[in-house]
Amino acid sequence: MDLHEHKVLIANRGEIAIRILKACRKLGLEFVCVHTQEDHASGHVRLARGLGGSKSLYRISSYHDANELMAVADESGATAIHPGYGFFSEDYRFARRVIQREREMIFIGPSWRIIRELGDKINTKRLARSLDVPTVPGSDRPIYDEMEAEELARTLFNFQTDNQIRNPLVLIKASAGGGGMGIEEVHDPDLFRSVYRRVRNYAARQFKDEGVLIEQRIRDFNHLEVQILADRNCKTLVHFGTRNCSIQSTGLQKRLEVAPGFDPSSVSYNFDAAGVLEQIIRHSLNIAHKVRYDNAGTWEWIVTREGNPYLMEVNARIQVENGVSSAITRIRGQEGVDLLVEQIRTGLGDPLGYTQEDISFEGVSLEYRIIAEDPEQRFTPWVGRIERFHQPEEPWLTMHSHVPTDEPYDIPTEFDPNLALGIIWGRDLQEARGRGLSFLKKMILEGRTAQGEPMKTNLEFLKKKTGDILKF
């Protein structure tokens, strides 16, 4: 089938649904969107109706119902499904079902076998170690036995003590988890068993798998990512550089991202920062080649203050922060790279059409996640009505949001309170920081709860953290 004959079902909501929709329009593709009753006021619903009419919009009871999504796909004649991020984006069973149905469709994402192979942290760790890729000390297979888990934890505590690491910590992680979910730390070996049981039970409920990963807790690190893109069958594989996602909430949820991952031209490091970036890119590409990766994906890394990198996991999907990588990427010198456009067209079978030699990077880009939450109260989500939402307009600013700016908006309690993404580009880190602060100062976000209490946001938190960008 020719690329332009496809119709894409956007199986997601909010700002990512809007971005996928716009990418489809750039490619001349038909689209169909879905929404729940709770999301009737979302900007993705308004945009879909405005650009595609009523035939492009279907109401469903849940974004988590695969049967409903398949029914919409059949009724609308969709030939492909884009899962966005979250929901079904890393569910290999869903991806397999899409392509193995009687009316076969295309899953816009990595193949289901790759999602299955890389979706398990422990399996990824084992694969990485086979390729001499450094990983965090700890288990490289699912642990289901409590005694075995406790013995490994004590070994890791002793290892840290022997190496004169003060206040040693061990992490317990759901092996099938992701995005900071299903992770707890233990500072006392005597408390390990109770925390282990809590994580194991959470993993069973949330991910239908009790397997856990026991790791040494590495502190004082930066969280870096490598953005990978490949066409089908891994005929051509490239990277779109690195990102730094170290500024997070207390729950390990990202709040501010910056590309590239380090900036040795303006920040002093105790190690060869440029060399570390080259190293994690090389290791990421080696793993991608090994599994014949065939779409967009992110390799997540920890880099310690001493410059030691450790692979954490692979996210076999598009991520929220893809735009911050797009902003600094140039293909044959041209600005305006849209990673979602590249993901969709290659996912539908188009060849990549360029190699790593055609890709260059320019400037520094920031992404602020504007969220209704209270950073003073452990980032507790805020729920209420947004009465005023003003986004500044600047040539160096790209905004992504599903929140209307011309009428009040009640934040649905069923979903995360993320409201907008502000992506800023600057010629260097200093300019990007200055523009970022200017953007945050000009943002107007006001509202009230049903009891009349004023809105809580993370704008002030982001202002304070802007000075810490790319630092340890």
Side-chain angles (χ1 to χ4, degrees):
M1 181 183 292
D2 182 75
L3 175 70
H4 301 291
E5 296 176 359
H6 282 285
K7 176 184 281 189
V8 178
L9 168 60
I10 303 169
N12 215 298
R13 63 177 295 274
E15 58 86 14
I16 188 59
I18 292 174
R19 292 158 80 179
I20 298 169
L21 189 160
K22 290 181 176 178
C24 288
R25 294 282 290 187
K26 288 180 183 178
L27 291 167
L29 299 172
E30 288 190 69
F31 65 87
V32 59
C33 283
V34 293
H35 74 97
T36 61
Q37 172 58 31
E38 296 83 5
D39 251 349
H40 71 278
S42 173
H44 85 275
V45 175
R46 180 190 295 192
L47 185 63
R49 186 180 292 117
L51 294 179
S54 58
K55 65 180 178 18
S56 69
L57 191 62
Y58 287 77
R59 179 174 158 182
I60 57 176
S61 60
S62 171
Y63 296 106
H64 296 277
D65 192 324
N67 291 330
E68 275 196 290
L69 293 173
M70 297 302 174
V72 170
D74 288 338
E75 185 173 338
S76 65
T79 59
I81 294 181
H82 195 310
Y85 51 72
F87 298 136
F88 288 109
S89 61
E90 291 183 283
D91 187 329
Y92 78 86
R93 295 177 182 85
F94 180 83
R96 182 176 59 191
R97 179 176 175 181
V98 168
I99 69 166
Q100 292 183 351
R101 303 172 71 241
E102 183 176 343
R103 191 182 75 84
E104 183 179 324
M105 293 183 291
I106 294 173
F107 179 81
I108 301 179
S111 65
W112 68 266
R113 290 182 177 85
I114 290 175
I115 296 175
R116 182 178 63 180
E117 183 173 3
L118 297 179
D120 189 309
K121 292 184 179 70
I122 296 176
N123 185 64
T124 300
K125 187 178 222 180
R126 188 182 302 123
L127 172 64
R129 288 180 175 177
S130 74
L131 296 173
D132 294 324
V133 175
T135 63
V136 177
S139 56
D140 62 356
R141 60 182 176 81
I143 295 181
Y144 298 91
D145 182 80
E146 185 173 292
M147 296 298 292
E148 181 182 0
E150 190 169 20
E151 181 179 351
L152 176 57
R154 290 191 179 277
T155 299
L156 290 173
F157 275 117
N158 292 336
F159 172 80
Q160 295 175 72
T161 301
D162 293 344
N163 284 272
Q164 299 180 335
I165 296 175
R166 298 178 61 186
N167 303 318
L169 289 171
V170 167
L171 279 185
I172 307 175
K173 306 166 73 172
S175 68
M181 298 173 64
I183 303 176
E184 290 202 40
E185 61 182 36
V186 183
H187 61 86
D188 184 345
D190 293 333
L191 297 176
F192 176 84
R193 187 173 296 185
S194 62
V195 179
Y196 165 81
R197 291 174 179 174
R198 185 162 63 242
V199 173
R200 183 190 62 193
N201 293 336
Y202 175 87
R205 292 194 312 272
Q206 191 75 16
F207 308 115
K208 307 298 187 291
D209 186 343
E210 292 186 355
V212 298
L213 181 66
I214 311 298
E215 288 184 343
Q216 178 181 327
R217 171 69 159 99
I218 296 177
R219 290 176 291 187
D220 198 15
F221 64 86
N222 269 208
H223 178 168
L224 270 70
E225 299 178 344
V226 178
Q227 178 65 62
I228 300 291
L229 178 66
D231 49 19
R232 288 305 184 196
N233 300 314
C234 198
K235 292 179 180 177
T236 307
L237 177 70
V238 299
H239 71 84
F240 274 24
T242 59
R243 302 185 287 259
N244 193 310
C245 308
S246 302
I247 298 176
Q248 303 179 357
S249 71
T250 51
L252 304 180
Q253 302 295 315
K254 301 167 190 173
R255 290 297 180 263
L256 199 166
E257 295 95 6
V258 55
F262 289 132
D263 185 13
S265 66
S266 58
V267 179
S268 178
Y269 299 96
N270 296 325
F271 54 88
D272 178 9
V276 170
L277 294 182
E278 292 177 4
Q279 186 179 358
I280 65 174
I281 289 171
R282 183 178 71 254
H283 284 315
S284 299
L285 290 172
N286 285 344
I287 295 175
H289 277 295
K290 178 68 175 179
V291 300
R292 297 190 61 77
Y293 201 82
D294 61 352
N295 202 246
T298 300
W299 271 244
E300 301 210 10
W301 293 82
I302 283 173
V303 178
T304 68
R305 181 177 288 276
E306 295 74 35
N308 298 316
Y310 299 103
L311 179 69
M312 282 200 301
E313 62 182 353
V314 177
N315 288 316
R317 56 175 168 83
I318 200 71
Q319 290 200 206
V320 180
E321 58 270 28
N322 74 83
V324 78
S325 294
S326 296
I328 65 167
T329 304
R330 308 288 182 262
I331 299 177
R332 300 191 180 100
Q334 297 296 311
E335 296 183 26
V337 175
D338 186 333
L339 188 53
L340 279 164
V341 167
E342 299 302 293
Q343 181 200 22
I344 292 170
R345 69 174 187 83
T346 54
L348 293 175
D350 230 20
L352 198 60
Y354 48 86
T355 66
Q356 196 65 54
E357 293 181 355
D358 298 313
I359 297 176
S360 59
F361 302 97
E362 182 180 346
V364 174
S365 182
L366 315 178
E367 178 177 273
Y368 292 105
R369 299 195 188 192
I370 312 300
I371 299 178
E373 62 184 1
D374 186 357
E376 301 294 326
Q377 299 295 323
R378 299 185 61 81
F379 296 85
T380 303
W382 181 89
V383 178
R385 169 172 288 193
I386 299 175
E387 299 169 338
R388 192 178 177 205
F389 181 36
H390 170 72
Q391 307 173 10
E393 294 184 7
E394 300 287 355
W396 39 261
L397 169 66
T398 301
M399 288 292 295
H400 299 296
S401 178
H402 62 283
V403 179
T405 58
D406 59 349
E407 62 183 15
Y409 176 74
D410 293 310
I411 300 176
T413 58
E414 293 79 9
F415 313 109
D416 68 65
N418 187 49
L419 303 177
L421 304 174
I423 300 175
I424 286 88
W425 181 85
R427 284 166 294 207
D428 53 33
L429 181 58
Q430 182 178 356
E431 183 173 66
R433 277 186 184 140
R435 288 176 170 178
L437 289 173
S438 174
F439 157 72
L440 292 171
K441 290 175 182 176
K442 292 179 181 178
M443 273 286 301
I444 298 175
L445 194 52
E446 299 172 351
R448 294 194 174 277
T449 65
Q451 293 75 34
E453 298 171 348
M455 183 177 188
K456 299 285 187 180
T457 76
N458 66 342
L459 289 174
E460 288 301 320
F461 169 81
L462 295 173
K463 289 177 187 176
K464 294 176 183 177
K465 289 297 184 180
T466 297
D468 298 334
I469 292 170
L470 298 185
K471 295 181 180 179
F472 273 95

